Amino acid sequence: MNKPFWFHIIKQWKDMGKGEYGVTIPFLVGALACHFGKEPTKEFVDETFENIKSNPVNGYYCEVRWCGNIDEPVISVKEIDELADITLEAYYKVGGIVSLGFTMDLMGMFHLNCETAHDCLLKLITYSLEHVSQGCFSKNAGKFTSFTDDDLVFINLVEELSST
């Protein structure tokens, strides 16, 4: 089964040494909007996360955690067996298996303080929309900006890798 483009963007970010954990949610939304030729509307962001939480890639789950290097929440893909070493504050499950989880460090550092996975996701979507609605997807020098040339090269490279 082919893996979805969102999976490739998240996984390749770490695999290519672009970041320690994963991508920011605005980066993911922007990359997907570029790939699919769509505007990054609230509906598009909602659809993206519905896809991530409802259609997990076999053997993996997505984790939203805090990245101290850029002081932002990031989303990563991890192998299911890594769940044994992680404490998730809230999560979604599909078929009894975690598909999307939110870590304890995210609650404290980002002050997410949510009671359910749905609350966590709504807060992260609202936060992300503040940036993506202005065309700002990439965090550079402490603030969100439009994609850099390097970001666009990365997105194009992932498109090439994922089509093979």
Side-chain angles (χ1 to χ4, degrees):
M1 176 178 140
N2 287 338
K3 294 176 178 75
F5 191 65
W6 60 260
F7 179 88
H8 291 288
I9 285 288
I10 298 168
K11 188 161 186 333
Q12 289 301 323
W13 186 261
K14 185 176 176 188
D15 289 355
M16 291 183 184
K18 305 278 290 168
E20 189 172 346
Y21 302 113
V23 296
T24 65
I25 294 168
F27 189 96
L28 176 62
V29 169
L32 292 172
C34 282
H35 178 72
F36 293 112
K38 295 192 173 188
E39 290 296 316
T41 61
K42 180 183 183 324
E43 292 75 23
F44 183 76
V45 178
D46 289 344
E47 180 183 302
T48 295
F49 277 98
E50 183 60 36
N51 203 353
I52 289 171
K53 70 182 188 174
S54 300
N55 302 300
V57 171
N58 191 30
Y60 292 89
Y61 76 101
C62 284
E63 173 184 286
V64 182
R65 61 166 298 138
W66 184 254
C67 178
N69 294 341
I70 60 170
D71 291 328
E72 288 294 332
V74 295
I75 187 166
S76 59
V77 291
K78 299 218 169 179
E79 293 184 18
I80 285 288
D81 60 3
E82 293 182 61
L83 270 171
D85 302 326
I86 297 290
T87 302
L88 297 177
E89 179 69 18
Y91 50 83
Y92 289 96
K93 283 186 169 184
V94 173
I97 298 172
V98 171
S99 59
L100 174 63
F102 306 90
T103 64
M104 291 289 292
D105 66 339
L106 181 65
M107 300 302 154
M109 298 304 291
F110 193 58
H111 309 292
L112 202 54
N113 304 323
C114 47
E115 306 231 348
T116 67
H118 184 69
D119 290 341
C120 291
L121 188 55
L122 288 178
K123 288 178 180 181
L124 287 168
I125 287 172
T126 299
Y127 173 73
S128 298
L129 284 169
E130 294 172 18
H131 302 294
V132 301
S133 65
Q134 299 172 36
C136 297
F137 309 110
S138 182
K139 190 153 188 192
N140 297 291
K143 65 178 188 165
F144 278 95
T145 65
S146 58
F147 283 128
T148 64
D149 289 343
D150 188 49
D151 294 332
L152 294 172
V153 166
F154 169 77
I155 294 166
N156 288 331
L157 182 57
V158 173
E159 284 179 332
E160 290 174 22
L161 290 172
S162 66
S163 66
T164 58

